[in-house]
Amino acid sequence: MPDTSKLDPVVLELGRLFDDAGYELSLVGGPVRDLFLGRISPDLDFTTNATPEQILQVARKWADSHWEMGRDFGTIGFRKRNRNKEVLLIEVTTYRAEAYDPDSRKPVVAFGTSLVDDLQRRDFSVNSMALRLPGMELVDPFGGTADLAAGILRTPGAPEDSFSDDPLRMMRAARFASQLGFDLHPEVLAAMTGMAERISIISAERVRDELVKLICGAHPRAGVDILVSTGLAELVLPEVPALKLETDEHHRHKDVYQHSLQVLEQAAALETGPDGAVPGPDFVLRFAALMHDVGKPKTRRFEPGGGVSFRHHDLAGAKLTAKRMRALRFDNDSIKAVSRLVELHMRFYGYGESGWSDSAVRRYVTDAGPLLERLHRLTRSDVTTRNQRKAERLSFAYDDLEQRISELAAQEELNSIRPDLDGGAIMALLGVKPGRVVGRAYNFLLELRMEHGPLGPERAEAELRAWWADQPESQETGPETEPRAPESPAAPGSPLPAQDTSD
């Protein structure tokens, strides 16, 4: 039996309400599984022989609020505050016996009368257990407890029937392998491999949500490897299996696929706690680690001297990553963050051999922007060489770079590098209105700031006047708009006027 002492008293309260009203009620699925694993699920799922109307009659007054969006599928949702004032999300669903259109993800719902029949339609045996309430009787007709103990994922019935009914369950199998560290039963793997193309009827949004959960699991490498080995990745994330480059007979480059999985693992290990710089699990960092080399298949070249090159694979990979994430309907912020990390992941290399000027360090920080801490971790994770001396050299070089970033940041506020003059001061000094000239002047001063650090207002004004003297517009403006000193300095932090910097 699971340790039911950890169940919130709300569970028993609801069980008694249904029992007093003459209906069955059972806690089912993930919450029961997690009791065996010593975890508490944030959401509570129940099943009952009561109809949606009867569910509302029993629990509407007891709950703090309810919703009926899933009523057509037999589900009524409730919110209930427990004794600790925590809000619990509860879903109660009528016993179901579903049938699926082979060409659609949407089930045809038929309400059932049997708890065992309801459990049989669920995805995996470890999720096909129930606790009858309020008596806490465990119902496990499909061996879920044994599979939990063995760390195996099986379906309650034939896996081909389960995956045909709902192909998303194949993604869920890989996701549970990532989250729970379980192995897939050989029959499940065989069915997934044979039926992988069925995933194409699932919406991109549903696939995306399962992929995010997989990547953020405790064992993401295992989950990704299942997607690739079964052929699912060819349909939902084809850039990853493409990393299995055929090595030439002399093995002149490493296995890019296995390297990428190792980088994913190492990046996850560098995440921090809730109060750290990169609290884990961090999807942006992990997905960038997985995708960082996806530009290599497109850019691989065998050189005349016998070597292999992947020139500009970082830029190619950033484009491929953004394209794939758009296809999976990711939000724009996530797309920009992940693809930017892929684009920047090679920027560090060469630092150890040649060293960087302060201006190069400033550019590194500025280009990374808010992604700097993730870029630190991605760059360190990208070292998978077995050459201990090389690994130590790269680690030492990156330690040195981070130290220099810290020192410059203390001096110059690197996180918000701006020119010494803002847009208002530029217009006053040059006697021009908002437009392209202001944008060019701003970029000129920003380049000086990057190269030389803070200049101070006086030197910045002198440099700007010298720059302006060489611009064709300075000759065209005439005496009425000759450069003049500003009547009063612009307020610190005043915004730059709207401008077109396309020149």
Side-chain angles (χ1 to χ4, degrees):
M1 279 291 294
D3 181 5
T4 58
S5 65
K6 295 182 179 180
L7 279 177
D8 195 288
V10 164
V11 173
L12 287 177
E13 287 179 24
L14 190 60
R16 292 190 188 99
L17 280 177
F18 275 78
D19 188 54
D20 291 344
Y23 301 114
E24 299 175 3
L25 185 75
S26 298
L27 184 69
V28 291
V32 179
R33 177 201 68 217
D34 287 348
L35 285 175
F36 281 95
L37 298 175
R39 309 187 312 192
I40 300 297
S41 292
D43 303 330
L44 298 171
D45 296 323
F46 299 84
T47 190
T48 179
N49 62 345
T51 65
E53 292 79 9
Q54 292 166 338
I55 293 170
L56 282 169
Q57 290 173 4
V58 172
R60 177 185 286 164
K61 293 182 179 179
W62 169 82
D64 299 320
S65 61
H66 75 279
W67 63 93
E68 303 181 36
M69 289 181 295
R71 184 169 182 154
D72 290 344
F73 296 97
T75 300
I76 303 295
F78 300 97
R79 287 184 179 87
K80 177 71 174 179
R81 287 188 181 273
N82 63 12
R83 296 172 185 174
N84 297 324
K85 306 301 181 183
E86 299 166 329
V87 176
L88 301 180
L89 299 180
I90 295 168
E91 287 192 344
V92 183
T93 302
T94 305
Y95 293 155
R96 296 197 305 212
E98 294 174 349
Y100 287 79
D101 181 335
D103 298 319
S104 172
R105 164 66 181 91
K106 296 180 180 179
V108 178
V109 176
F111 295 150
T113 58
S114 164
L115 173 60
V116 172
D117 288 347
D118 182 90
L119 294 176
Q120 186 171 18
R121 72 173 181 80
R122 296 177 181 270
D123 53 6
F124 301 105
S125 61
V126 296
N127 295 329
S128 298
M129 298 181 289
L131 278 178
R132 288 190 185 272
L133 301 171
M136 296 295 187
E137 173 195 352
L138 177 66
V139 181
D140 180 20
F142 303 105
T145 54
D147 287 348
L148 276 175
I152 292 289
L153 280 177
R154 287 187 308 112
T155 54
E160 291 82 2
D161 294 340
S162 181
F163 299 151
S164 178
D165 284 348
D166 184 359
L168 189 65
R169 288 173 175 171
M170 295 186 287
M171 290 288 297
R172 285 170 61 83
R175 188 247 288 187
F176 282 126
S178 171
Q179 290 181 327
L180 303 176
F182 284 9
D183 294 323
L184 272 57
H185 190 279
E187 292 180 357
V188 171
L189 272 174
M192 290 171 64
T193 303
M195 303 176 67
E197 289 188 2
R198 289 277 296 159
I199 200 67
S200 61
I201 72 169
I202 303 297
S203 70
E205 291 83 359
R206 299 291 302 281
V207 170
R208 174 202 64 206
D209 291 346
E210 288 296 330
L211 180 63
V212 170
K213 293 173 183 176
L214 184 158
I215 295 297
C216 291
H219 311 277
R221 180 173 188 159
V224 172
D225 211 26
I226 287 171
L227 292 183
V228 172
S229 65
T230 58
L232 283 166
E234 291 282 357
L235 298 158
V236 301
L237 200 62
E239 295 79 9
V240 172
L243 292 171
K244 288 191 169 186
L245 297 172
E246 293 182 5
T247 57
D248 59 287
E249 61 180 339
H250 301 294
H251 299 283
R252 289 172 288 185
H253 60 81
K254 69 178 73 175
D255 183 332
V256 183
Y257 172 66
Q258 291 298 332
H259 163 75
S260 298
L261 293 184
Q262 187 175 347
V263 174
L264 169 60
E265 278 189 321
Q266 293 179 173
L270 292 178
E271 293 167 341
T272 65
D275 299 324
V278 183
D282 186 90
F283 174 78
V284 168
L285 171 62
R286 293 184 181 202
F287 200 53
L290 177 63
M291 303 291 282
H292 77 285
D293 274 348
V294 295
K296 281 190 171 180
K298 184 177 181 179
T299 60
R300 182 172 65 162
R301 299 290 183 272
F302 291 101
E303 302 296 342
V308 178
S309 68
F310 303 94
R311 291 188 180 89
H312 306 303
H313 77 272
D314 44 354
L315 301 179
K319 292 178 180 178
L320 288 170
T321 298
K323 182 178 180 181
R324 177 55 46 197
M325 293 183 73
R326 284 193 293 268
L328 290 170
R329 304 291 192 270
F330 277 92
D331 62 280
N332 287 334
D333 288 344
S334 296
I335 294 171
K336 289 178 182 178
V338 175
S339 59
R340 185 63 167 161
L341 284 173
V342 173
E343 180 183 349
L344 293 175
H345 83 273
M346 291 294 294
R347 187 70 64 87
F348 160 74
Y349 291 93
Y351 175 84
E353 285 76 14
S354 60
W356 283 359
S357 64
D358 285 351
S359 64
V361 175
R362 294 186 193 102
R363 291 178 193 280
Y364 188 79
V365 173
T366 302
D367 288 347
L371 298 171
L372 181 63
E373 289 294 339
R374 289 181 172 117
L375 182 58
H376 286 334
R377 286 157 176 77
L378 176 58
T379 303
R380 289 185 180 277
S381 300
D382 196 20
V383 179
T384 61
T385 178
R386 296 180 181 178
N387 185 324
Q388 189 65 26
R389 182 173 296 180
K390 180 180 179 181
E392 290 175 353
R393 184 172 70 251
L394 289 170
S395 178
F396 176 81
Y398 208 85
D399 288 344
D400 184 63
L401 175 58
E402 287 201 65
Q403 179 63 32
R404 288 186 62 195
I405 289 173
S406 297
E407 292 170 354
L408 279 174
Q411 300 169 19
E412 303 181 13
E413 298 183 5
L414 286 184
N415 290 335
S416 56
I417 289 181
R418 295 182 177 86
D420 294 84
L421 302 177
D422 62 18
I426 290 170
M427 289 189 292
L429 185 70
L430 303 185
V432 297
K433 295 179 180 180
R436 296 182 178 182
V437 168
V438 181
R440 297 209 321 266
Y442 186 90
N443 289 335
F444 166 73
L445 290 174
L446 182 60
E447 287 295 315
L448 287 179
R449 173 71 172 80
M450 290 283 192
E451 190 67 29
H452 303 291
L455 304 177
E458 291 185 6
R459 182 180 171 188
E461 289 180 13
E463 295 282 358
L464 183 59
R465 289 179 187 277
W467 172 85
W468 178 245
D470 292 332
Q471 304 306 305
E473 293 88 348
S474 68
Q475 309 302 320
E476 298 171 0
T477 53
E480 293 183 2
T481 56
E482 283 297 313
R484 62 182 185 275
E487 296 179 3
S488 60
S494 59
L496 180 66
Q499 58 202 261
D500 181 351
T501 59
S502 59
D503 281 7

Coordinates of all heavy atoms in Angstrom, one line a residue, residues 366-437:
T366 N 27.6 42.1 -23.8 CA 26.5 42.8 -24.4 C 25.7 41.9 -25.3 O 24.5 42.0 -25.4 CB 27.0 44.0 -25.1 OG1 27.7 44.9 -24.2 CG2 25.9 44.8 -25.7
D367 N 26.4 41.1 -26.1 CA 25.7 40.2 -27.1 C 24.9 39.2 -26.3 O 23.8 38.8 -26.8 CB 26.7 39.6 -28.0 CG 27.3 40.5 -29.0 OD1 26.8 41.6 -29.2 OD2 28.3 40.2 -29.6
A368 N 25.4 38.7 -25.2 CA 24.6 37.7 -24.4 C 23.5 38.3 -23.7 O 22.4 37.7 -23.6 CB 25.6 37.0 -23.4
G369 N 23.6 39.6 -23.2 CA 22.5 40.2 -22.5 C 22.1 39.4 -21.4 O 22.8 38.9 -20.6
P370 N 20.7 39.3 -21.2 CA 20.2 38.5 -20.1 C 20.5 37.0 -20.1 O 20.2 36.3 -19.2 CB 18.7 38.8 -20.2 CG 18.4 39.1 -21.6 CD 19.7 39.9 -22.1
L371 N 21.0 36.6 -21.2 CA 21.3 35.1 -21.4 C 22.7 34.8 -20.9 O 23.2 33.6 -21.0 CB 21.2 34.7 -22.8 CG 19.8 34.9 -23.5 CD1 19.9 34.6 -25.0 CD2 18.8 33.9 -22.8
L372 N 23.5 35.7 -20.3 CA 24.9 35.5 -20.0 C 25.1 34.3 -19.1 O 26.0 33.5 -19.3 CB 25.5 36.8 -19.4 CG 27.0 36.7 -19.0 CD1 27.8 36.5 -20.3 CD2 27.4 38.0 -18.3
E373 N 24.3 34.2 -18.0 CA 24.5 33.1 -17.1 C 24.3 31.8 -17.8 O 24.9 30.8 -17.5 CB 23.7 33.3 -15.8 CG 24.1 34.4 -14.9 CD 25.4 34.1 -14.3 OE1 25.9 33.0 -14.2 OE2 26.1 35.1 -13.8
R374 N 23.3 31.7 -18.6 CA 23.0 30.5 -19.4 C 24.1 30.2 -20.4 O 24.5 29.1 -20.5 CB 21.7 30.6 -20.1 CG 20.4 30.6 -19.2 CD 19.2 30.7 -20.1 NE 18.0 30.5 -19.4 CZ 17.0 31.4 -19.3 NH1 17.2 32.6 -19.8 NH2 15.9 31.1 -18.7
L375 N 24.7 31.3 -21.0 CA 25.8 31.1 -21.9 C 27.0 30.6 -21.2 O 27.7 29.7 -21.8 CB 26.1 32.4 -22.6 CG 27.2 32.4 -23.7 CD1 26.8 31.3 -24.8 CD2 27.4 33.7 -24.3
H376 N 27.3 31.1 -20.0 CA 28.4 30.5 -19.2 C 28.2 29.0 -19.1 O 29.2 28.2 -19.3 CB 28.4 31.1 -17.8 CG 28.8 32.5 -17.7 ND1 29.7 33.1 -18.6 CD2 28.6 33.5 -16.8 CE1 29.9 34.3 -18.3 NE2 29.3 34.6 -17.2
R377 N 27.0 28.5 -18.7 CA 26.8 27.1 -18.5 C 26.8 26.3 -19.8 O 27.3 25.2 -19.8 CB 25.5 26.9 -17.7 CG 25.6 27.4 -16.3 CD 24.3 27.8 -15.6 NE 24.5 28.1 -14.2 CZ 25.0 29.2 -13.8 NH1 25.4 30.1 -14.6 NH2 25.2 29.4 -12.5
L378 N 26.3 26.9 -20.8 CA 26.3 26.2 -22.1 C 27.7 26.0 -22.6 O 28.1 24.9 -23.1 CB 25.4 26.9 -23.2 CG 25.4 26.4 -24.6 CD1 24.9 24.9 -24.6 CD2 24.6 27.2 -25.5
T379 N 28.5 27.0 -22.5 CA 29.9 27.0 -23.0 C 30.7 25.9 -22.2 O 31.5 25.2 -22.8 CB 30.5 28.3 -22.9 OG1 29.8 29.3 -23.7 CG2 31.9 28.3 -23.5
R380 N 30.5 25.9 -20.9 CA 31.3 25.0 -20.1 C 30.8 23.5 -20.4 O 31.6 22.6 -20.4 CB 31.1 25.3 -18.6 CG 31.8 26.5 -18.2 CD 31.7 26.7 -16.7 NE 32.4 27.9 -16.2 CZ 33.7 28.0 -15.9 NH1 34.4 26.9 -16.1 NH2 34.2 29.1 -15.4
S381 N 29.5 23.4 -20.7 CA 28.9 22.0 -20.9 C 29.4 21.5 -22.3 O 29.4 20.3 -22.5 CB 27.4 22.1 -20.9 OG 26.9 22.6 -19.7
D382 N 29.8 22.4 -23.2 CA 30.2 22.0 -24.5 C 31.5 21.3 -24.6 O 32.0 20.8 -25.6 CB 30.2 23.2 -25.4 CG 30.2 22.8 -26.9 OD1 29.8 21.6 -27.2 OD2 30.5 23.6 -27.8
V383 N 32.2 21.2 -23.4 CA 33.5 20.5 -23.3 C 33.3 19.0 -23.0 O 32.9 18.7 -21.8 CB 34.4 21.2 -22.3 CG1 35.8 20.4 -22.2 CG2 34.7 22.6 -22.7
T384 N 33.4 18.1 -23.9 CA 33.2 16.7 -23.7 C 34.4 15.9 -24.1 O 34.3 14.7 -24.1 CB 31.9 16.2 -24.4 OG1 32.1 16.4 -25.8 CG2 30.7 16.9 -24.0
T385 N 35.5 16.5 -24.3 CA 36.7 15.8 -24.7 C 37.2 14.9 -23.6 O 37.1 15.2 -22.4 CB 37.8 16.8 -25.1 OG1 39.0 16.1 -25.5 CG2 38.1 17.8 -23.9
R386 N 37.8 13.8 -24.1 CA 38.4 12.8 -23.1 C 39.8 13.2 -22.8 O 40.5 12.6 -22.0 CB 38.4 11.4 -23.7 CG 37.0 10.9 -23.9 CD 37.0 9.4 -24.4 NE 35.6 8.9 -24.6 CZ 35.4 7.7 -25.1 NH1 36.4 6.9 -25.4 NH2 34.1 7.3 -25.2
N387 N 40.3 14.2 -23.5 CA 41.7 14.7 -23.3 C 41.7 15.6 -22.1 O 41.2 16.8 -22.1 CB 42.2 15.5 -24.6 CG 43.6 16.0 -24.4 OD1 44.1 16.3 -23.4 ND2 44.3 16.0 -25.6
Q388 N 42.1 15.1 -21.0 CA 42.1 15.8 -19.7 C 42.8 17.1 -19.7 O 42.3 18.1 -19.2 CB 42.6 14.9 -18.6 CG 42.4 15.5 -17.2 CD 40.9 15.5 -16.8 OE1 40.1 14.7 -17.3 NE2 40.5 16.4 -15.9
R389 N 43.9 17.1 -20.4 CA 44.7 18.4 -20.4 C 44.0 19.5 -21.2 O 43.9 20.6 -20.8 CB 46.1 18.1 -21.1 CG 47.0 19.3 -21.2 CD 48.4 19.0 -21.7 NE 49.0 18.1 -20.8 CZ 50.3 17.6 -21.0 NH1 50.9 17.9 -22.1 NH2 50.8 16.8 -20.1
K390 N 43.3 19.1 -22.3 CA 42.6 20.0 -23.1 C 41.4 20.5 -22.3 O 41.1 21.7 -22.3 CB 42.1 19.4 -24.4 CG 41.3 20.4 -25.3 CD 40.9 19.7 -26.6 CE 40.1 20.6 -27.5 NZ 39.6 19.9 -28.7
A391 N 40.7 19.6 -21.6 CA 39.5 20.0 -20.8 C 39.9 21.0 -19.7 O 39.2 22.0 -19.5 CB 38.9 18.8 -20.2
E392 N 41.0 20.7 -19.1 CA 41.5 21.6 -18.0 C 41.9 23.0 -18.6 O 41.6 24.0 -17.9 CB 42.7 21.0 -17.2 CG 42.3 19.8 -16.4 CD 43.5 19.1 -15.8 OE1 44.6 19.5 -16.1 OE2 43.3 18.2 -15.0
R393 N 42.5 23.0 -19.7 CA 42.9 24.3 -20.3 C 41.7 25.1 -20.7 O 41.7 26.3 -20.4 CB 43.7 24.0 -21.6 CG 44.3 25.3 -22.2 CD 45.2 25.0 -23.4 NE 44.6 24.4 -24.5 CZ 44.7 23.1 -24.9 NH1 45.4 22.3 -24.2 NH2 44.0 22.7 -26.0
L394 N 40.7 24.5 -21.2 CA 39.5 25.3 -21.6 C 38.7 25.7 -20.3 O 38.2 26.9 -20.3 CB 38.5 24.4 -22.4 CG 39.0 24.1 -23.8 CD1 38.1 23.0 -24.5 CD2 38.9 25.4 -24.7
S395 N 38.7 24.9 -19.3 CA 38.1 25.3 -18.0 C 38.8 26.5 -17.4 O 38.2 27.4 -16.9 CB 38.0 24.1 -17.1 OG 37.4 24.5 -15.8
F396 N 40.1 26.4 -17.4 CA 40.9 27.5 -16.8 C 40.7 28.8 -17.6 O 40.5 29.9 -17.0 CB 42.4 27.1 -16.9 CG 43.3 28.3 -16.4 CD1 43.5 28.5 -15.0 CD2 43.9 29.1 -17.3 CE1 44.3 29.5 -14.6 CE2 44.7 30.1 -16.9 CZ 44.9 30.3 -15.5
A397 N 40.6 28.7 -19.0 CA 40.4 29.9 -19.8 C 39.0 30.5 -19.5 O 38.9 31.7 -19.4 CB 40.5 29.5 -21.3
Y398 N 38.0 29.6 -19.3 CA 36.7 30.2 -19.0 C 36.6 30.8 -17.6 O 35.9 31.8 -17.4 CB 35.6 29.2 -19.3 CG 34.3 29.9 -19.7 CD1 34.1 30.2 -21.0 CD2 33.4 30.3 -18.7 CE1 32.9 30.9 -21.4 CE2 32.2 30.9 -19.1 CZ 32.0 31.3 -20.4 OH 30.9 31.9 -20.8
D399 N 37.3 30.2 -16.7 CA 37.4 30.8 -15.4 C 38.0 32.2 -15.5 O 37.5 33.1 -14.8 CB 38.3 29.9 -14.4 CG 37.7 28.6 -14.0 OD1 36.5 28.5 -14.2 OD2 38.4 27.7 -13.6
D400 N 39.0 32.3 -16.3 CA 39.7 33.6 -16.4 C 38.7 34.6 -17.1 O 38.7 35.8 -16.7 CB 40.9 33.5 -17.3 CG 41.7 34.8 -17.4 OD1 42.2 35.3 -16.4 OD2 41.8 35.3 -18.6
L401 N 38.0 34.2 -18.1 CA 37.0 35.1 -18.7 C 35.9 35.5 -17.8 O 35.6 36.7 -17.7 CB 36.4 34.4 -19.9 CG 35.2 35.2 -20.6 CD1 35.7 36.5 -21.1 CD2 34.7 34.3 -21.8
E402 N 35.4 34.6 -17.0 CA 34.4 35.0 -16.0 C 34.9 36.0 -15.0 O 34.3 36.9 -14.6 CB 33.8 33.8 -15.3 CG 32.9 33.0 -16.2 CD 32.0 32.1 -15.4 OE1 31.1 32.6 -14.6 OE2 32.1 30.8 -15.5
Q403 N 36.2 35.8 -14.6 CA 36.8 36.7 -13.6 C 37.0 38.1 -14.3 O 36.7 39.1 -13.6 CB 38.2 36.2 -13.2 CG 39.0 37.1 -12.3 CD 38.3 37.2 -10.9 OE1 37.6 36.3 -10.5 NE2 38.4 38.4 -10.3
R404 N 37.4 38.2 -15.5 CA 37.5 39.5 -16.2 C 36.1 40.1 -16.3 O 36.0 41.4 -16.2 CB 38.1 39.3 -17.6 CG 39.6 39.0 -17.5 CD 40.3 38.9 -18.8 NE 40.2 40.2 -19.5 CZ 40.4 40.4 -20.8 NH1 40.7 39.4 -21.5 NH2 40.3 41.6 -21.3
I405 N 35.1 39.3 -16.6 CA 33.7 39.9 -16.7 C 33.3 40.5 -15.4 O 32.8 41.6 -15.3 CB 32.8 38.8 -17.2 CG1 33.0 38.5 -18.6 CG2 31.3 39.3 -17.0 CD1 32.2 37.3 -19.1
S406 N 33.6 39.8 -14.3 CA 33.3 40.3 -13.0 C 34.0 41.6 -12.7 O 33.4 42.6 -12.1 CB 33.6 39.3 -11.9 OG 32.8 38.1 -12.1
E407 N 35.3 41.7 -13.0 CA 36.1 42.9 -12.7 C 35.6 44.1 -13.5 O 35.4 45.2 -13.0 CB 37.6 42.6 -13.0 CG 38.2 41.6 -12.1 CD 39.6 41.2 -12.5 OE1 40.0 41.6 -13.6 OE2 40.2 40.4 -11.7
L408 N 35.3 43.8 -14.8 CA 34.8 44.9 -15.7 C 33.4 45.3 -15.3 O 33.1 46.5 -15.3 CB 34.8 44.5 -17.1 CG 36.2 44.6 -17.9 CD1 36.0 44.0 -19.3 CD2 36.6 46.0 -18.0
A409 N 32.6 44.4 -14.9 CA 31.3 44.7 -14.4 C 31.3 45.6 -13.2 O 30.4 46.5 -13.1 CB 30.5 43.4 -14.2
A410 N 32.2 45.3 -12.3 CA 32.3 46.1 -11.1 C 32.7 47.6 -11.5 O 32.3 48.5 -10.8 CB 33.3 45.5 -10.1
Q411 N 33.4 47.7 -12.5 CA 33.9 49.1 -12.9 C 32.9 49.8 -13.8 O 32.8 51.0 -13.7 CB 35.2 49.0 -13.7 CG 36.4 48.3 -12.8 CD 37.6 48.0 -13.7 OE1 37.7 48.5 -14.8 NE2 38.4 47.1 -13.2
E412 N 32.2 49.1 -14.7 CA 31.5 49.8 -15.8 C 30.1 49.4 -15.9 O 29.4 49.9 -16.9 CB 32.2 49.4 -17.1 CG 33.7 49.7 -17.1 CD 34.3 49.3 -18.4 OE1 33.6 49.0 -19.4 OE2 35.6 49.2 -18.5
E413 N 29.5 48.7 -15.0 CA 28.1 48.3 -15.2 C 27.8 47.7 -16.6 O 27.1 48.2 -17.4 CB 27.1 49.5 -15.0 CG 27.2 50.2 -13.7 CD 26.2 51.3 -13.5 OE1 25.4 51.6 -14.5 OE2 26.3 52.0 -12.5
L414 N 28.5 46.6 -16.8 CA 28.5 45.9 -18.1 C 27.1 45.5 -18.6 O 26.8 45.4 -19.7 CB 29.4 44.7 -18.1 CG 30.9 44.9 -18.1 CD1 31.6 43.6 -18.2 CD2 31.3 45.8 -19.3
N415 N 26.2 45.2 -17.6 CA 24.9 44.8 -18.0 C 24.0 45.8 -18.7 O 23.0 45.5 -19.2 CB 24.1 44.3 -16.7 CG 24.7 43.0 -16.2 OD1 25.3 42.2 -16.9 ND2 24.5 42.7 -14.9
S416 N 24.5 47.1 -18.6 CA 23.7 48.1 -19.3 C 24.6 49.1 -20.0 O 24.6 50.3 -19.7 CB 22.8 48.9 -18.2 OG 23.6 49.4 -17.2
I417 N 25.4 48.6 -20.9 CA 26.4 49.4 -21.6 C 25.6 50.4 -22.6 O 24.8 49.9 -23.4 CB 27.4 48.6 -22.4 CG1 28.4 48.0 -21.4 CG2 28.1 49.5 -23.4 CD1 29.4 47.1 -22.1
R418 N 25.9 51.7 -22.4 CA 25.3 52.7 -23.3 C 26.4 53.7 -23.7 O 27.4 53.8 -23.0 CB 24.1 53.4 -22.7 CG 22.9 52.5 -22.4 CD 21.8 53.3 -21.7 NE 20.6 52.5 -21.5 CZ 20.4 51.7 -20.4 NH1 21.4 51.7 -19.4 NH2 19.3 51.0 -20.2
P419 N 26.1 54.4 -24.8 CA 27.1 55.5 -25.1 C 27.2 56.5 -24.0 O 26.3 56.6 -23.1 CB 26.6 56.1 -26.4 CG 25.6 55.1 -26.9 CD 25.1 54.3 -25.8
D420 N 28.2 57.4 -24.0 CA 28.3 58.4 -23.0 C 27.3 59.5 -23.2 O 27.1 60.3 -22.3 CB 29.8 58.9 -23.0 CG 30.8 57.9 -22.5 OD1 31.2 57.1 -23.4 OD2 31.1 57.8 -21.4
L421 N 26.8 59.7 -24.4 CA 25.8 60.7 -24.7 C 24.5 60.0 -25.2 O 24.6 59.0 -26.0 CB 26.3 61.6 -25.8 CG 27.6 62.4 -25.5 CD1 27.9 63.2 -26.8 CD2 27.4 63.3 -24.3
D422 N 23.4 60.4 -24.7 CA 22.1 59.8 -25.1 C 21.6 60.5 -26.4 O 22.2 61.5 -26.9 CB 21.1 59.8 -24.0 CG 20.7 61.2 -23.5 OD1 20.9 62.1 -24.3 OD2 20.1 61.3 -22.4
G423 N 20.4 60.1 -26.8 CA 19.9 60.6 -28.1 C 19.6 62.1 -28.0 O 19.8 62.9 -29.0
G424 N 19.1 62.6 -26.8 CA 18.8 64.0 -26.7 C 20.1 64.8 -26.8 O 20.1 65.9 -27.5
A425 N 21.1 64.4 -26.1 CA 22.4 65.2 -26.2 C 23.0 65.1 -27.6 O 23.6 66.1 -28.0 CB 23.4 64.6 -25.2
I426 N 22.8 64.0 -28.3 CA 23.4 63.9 -29.7 C 22.6 65.0 -30.6 O 23.3 65.7 -31.3 CB 23.2 62.5 -30.2 CG1 24.1 61.5 -29.5 CG2 23.4 62.5 -31.8 CD1 23.9 60.1 -29.8
M427 N 21.3 65.0 -30.5 CA 20.6 66.0 -31.3 C 20.9 67.4 -31.0 O 21.0 68.2 -31.9 CB 19.1 65.7 -31.2 CG 18.6 64.4 -31.8 SD 16.8 64.2 -31.9 CE 16.5 64.0 -30.1
A428 N 21.1 67.7 -29.7 CA 21.4 69.1 -29.3 C 22.8 69.5 -29.8 O 23.0 70.6 -30.3 CB 21.3 69.2 -27.8
L429 N 23.7 68.5 -29.7 CA 25.1 68.8 -30.1 C 25.2 69.0 -31.6 O 25.9 69.9 -32.1 CB 26.0 67.7 -29.6 CG 27.5 67.9 -29.8 CD1 28.0 69.0 -28.9 CD2 28.3 66.6 -29.6
L430 N 24.5 68.2 -32.4 CA 24.6 68.2 -33.8 C 23.6 69.2 -34.5 O 23.7 69.5 -35.7 CB 24.5 66.8 -34.4 CG 25.5 65.8 -33.9 CD1 25.3 64.5 -34.7 CD2 26.9 66.2 -34.1
G431 N 22.6 69.6 -33.7 CA 21.6 70.4 -34.3 C 20.7 69.7 -35.3 O 20.4 70.3 -36.3
V432 N 20.4 68.5 -35.0 CA 19.6 67.7 -36.0 C 18.4 67.2 -35.3 O 18.2 67.2 -34.1 CB 20.4 66.5 -36.6 CG1 21.6 67.0 -37.3 CG2 20.9 65.6 -35.4
K433 N 17.4 66.7 -36.1 CA 16.2 66.2 -35.6 C 16.3 64.7 -35.6 O 17.2 64.1 -36.2 CB 15.0 66.6 -36.5 CG 14.8 68.2 -36.5 CD 13.6 68.5 -37.4 CE 13.4 70.0 -37.4 NZ 12.3 70.4 -38.3
P434 N 15.3 64.0 -35.0 CA 15.3 62.5 -34.9 C 15.3 62.0 -36.3 O 14.7 62.5 -37.3 CB 14.0 62.2 -34.2 CG 13.7 63.4 -33.4 CD 14.2 64.6 -34.2
G435 N 16.1 60.9 -36.5 CA 16.3 60.3 -37.8 C 17.5 59.4 -37.9 O 18.1 59.0 -36.9
R436 N 17.9 59.1 -39.2 CA 19.0 58.1 -39.4 C 20.3 58.7 -38.8 O 21.1 57.9 -38.4 CB 19.1 57.8 -40.9 CG 17.9 57.1 -41.4 CD 18.1 56.8 -42.9 NE 17.0 56.0 -43.4 CZ 17.0 55.6 -44.7 NH1 18.0 55.8 -45.5 NH2 15.9 54.9 -45.1
V437 N 20.5 60.0 -39.0 CA 21.8 60.5 -38.5 C 22.0 60.3 -37.0 O 23.1 59.9 -36.6 CB 21.8 62.0 -38.8 CG1 23.0 62.7 -38.1 CG2 22.0 62.3 -40.3

